[in-house]
Amino acid sequence: MERDLDNRGGVSEQRLIADKSIELASGTRMPILGLGTWQARGRSAVSAVLRALEVGYRHIDTATAYGNEAQVGQAVAESGVPREDVFVTTKLPPSRAGRERATLEDSLDALGFGYVDLWLIHWPPSGRARPDVWERLLELQAEGLAREVGVSNYGVRQLDELERETGRLPAVNQIEWSPALFDRSVLEAHRRRGVQLEGYSPLKTVNLRDPQLGRIAEDHGVTPAQVVLRWHIEHRIVAIPKSTNAERIAENAAIFGFELTPSEVEQLDRFAGNRPVYVTNDRSPRS
Ligand SMILES: NC(=O)c1ccc[n+]([C@@H]2O[C@H](COP(=O)([O-])OP(=O)(O)OC[C@H]3O[C@@H](n4cnc5c(N)ncnc54)[C@H](OP(=O)(O)O)[C@@H]3O)[C@@H](O)[C@H]2O)c1
């Protein structure tokens, strides 16, 4: 049964969002669009993940620090979608460096899973690359507890340090990304190393009321948020927009029925440096 969504989130064409995936260096396929879950808690987190799975998402991003792994696992179980069809990421808080195994086991218990698809070091512990921590992730991957391992909020030099010390690069680096944060040199540095760039906070780091963005959206009959997410897809960057609103969850996934022209992509690339001010992100004391 294949289906896709029209630009308002209704079920129309015969394509699954899940088919839209990229290949990691190892050959593992990772859906290019996922649901972010930071600040989704309790029943609202369960409903959001259920809604996402219902409209075709097959990729959910959580973290130990989000306190919602149990809700993510519950929703996957309740959804009826086979566990192996859903790509689930969770993250090791830097404060748990040295307690990697216990932390991953806690995550798996909370999720009710035998493995996660991607396990990330959430932030460089105390700002350092910590190849010793990375080594533990590789060991737990070798035991089959995580299909893929990677990092988040790492700089390119820190990626290189991990490789130099362990001979292995992360499969993924999850970093803040949007047109307003576009940096071609960072994107290309990841490409050259075969590290998949995964972008977080795709919507709240850009001004969705920007008139130029509005014009592009109007030309395609879509919303500004859909244009921003589609821009990630055009660059082959994994995007994980968060929403707990049923309509916006569907809207954010309905980005496979249109394409941006190269000139539109370039216009959005030039948003670089125009980040709007916002006050919170998950760089809280928790992690
Ligand atoms: N690795 C890290 O350090 C890190 C840091 C931050 C985030 N993340 C991950 O990345 C995910 C996404 O980032 P984020 O949550 O910071 O920000 P985001 O996805 O850019 O923005 C989420 C905000 O945008 C709203 N929204 C969602 N869809 C929208 C739409 N179509 N139009 C207008 N507004 C919309 C949401 O409200 P509603 O819920 O009301 O729709 C929410 O307030 C997180 O949930 C988390 O999984 C990782």
Side-chain angles (χ1 to χ4, degrees):
M1 183 203 64
E2 286 205 324
R3 61 182 194 182
D4 200 359
L5 303 172
D6 65 28
N7 292 338
R8 287 165 309 283
V11 176
S12 65
E13 296 162 35
Q14 301 291 301
R15 265 176 292 150
L16 255 183
I17 297 163
D19 288 343
K20 315 297 179 196
S21 60
I22 45 90
E23 192 174 301
L24 300 178
S26 65
T28 299
R29 298 214 69 92
M30 176 177 190
I32 196 160
L33 179 78
L35 179 76
T37 67
W38 178 44
Q39 293 179 319
R41 303 296 289 264
R43 190 62 221 171
S44 147
V46 177
S47 307
V49 176
L50 275 171
R51 170 66 173 161
L53 294 171
E54 179 196 21
V55 301
Y57 290 68
R58 291 295 180 270
H59 170 185
I60 312 292
D61 182 80
T62 178
T64 294
Y66 301 168
N68 60 17
E69 289 169 312
Q71 286 73 24
V72 169
Q74 182 190 336
V76 171
E78 276 179 24
S79 71
V81 177
R83 158 69 187 102
E84 60 275 16
D85 290 355
V86 189
F87 189 102
V88 177
T89 300
T90 193
K91 314 186 191 88
L92 172 84
S95 59
R96 301 271 183 96
R99 287 176 289 158
E100 295 83 4
R101 179 182 296 277
T103 305
L104 182 53
E105 284 173 353
D106 286 350
S107 288
L108 293 173
D109 281 351
L111 287 159
F113 295 168
Y115 65 92
V116 289
D117 296 276
L118 178 62
W119 192 38
L120 305 176
I121 304 175
H122 203 148
W123 287 89
S126 306
R128 315 266 295 267
R130 293 290 300 267
D132 58 319
V133 175
W134 176 235
E135 197 79 64
R136 301 286 93 74
L137 266 75
L138 292 168
E139 283 167 16
L140 291 161
Q141 179 190 24
E143 290 181 32
L145 301 186
R147 285 173 68 213
E148 293 288 342
V149 285
V151 295
S152 178
N153 299 299
Y154 271 57
V156 172
R157 270 181 295 182
Q158 291 178 317
L159 299 178
D160 289 341
E161 183 181 340
L162 296 184
E163 188 184 29
R164 204 167 52 242
E165 298 297 322
T166 69
R168 290 275 303 277
L169 274 164
V172 169
N173 188 16
Q174 184 184 112
I175 59 177
E176 203 177 34
W177 198 261
S178 77
L181 302 175
F182 180 67
D183 184 332
R184 190 177 300 281
S185 67
V186 169
L187 177 57
E188 284 172 1
H190 282 77
R191 290 255 151 88
R192 278 197 302 277
R193 288 162 178 77
V195 177
Q196 177 63 41
L197 203 158
E198 177 176 16
Y200 73 71
S201 303
L203 302 175
K204 69 186 188 197
T205 55
V206 70
N207 176 12
L208 293 176
R209 294 205 180 87
D210 181 278
Q212 205 179 358
L213 180 57
R215 274 193 297 279
I216 297 175
E218 218 172 286
D219 286 349
H220 290 279
V222 299
T223 66
Q226 288 173 319
V227 170
V228 168
L229 296 170
R230 182 70 212 185
W231 172 87
H232 286 72
I233 308 301
E234 305 296 357
H235 276 301
R236 309 299 293 158
I237 292 167
V238 176
I240 46 171
K242 173 264 173 185
S243 181
T244 43
N245 173 284
E247 281 172 21
R248 287 192 286 277
I249 290 170
E251 173 189 330
N252 294 343
I255 55 171
F256 299 106
F258 72 103
E259 285 176 15
L260 299 175
T261 65
S263 139
E264 288 168 334
V265 171
E266 266 173 46
Q267 283 179 56
L268 294 168
D269 291 351
R270 286 199 291 271
F271 277 36
N274 290 329
R275 178 196 181 129
V277 177
Y278 72 94
V279 284
T280 56
N281 63 28
D282 77 352
R283 213 175 303 201
S284 70
R286 281 186 319 240
S287 56

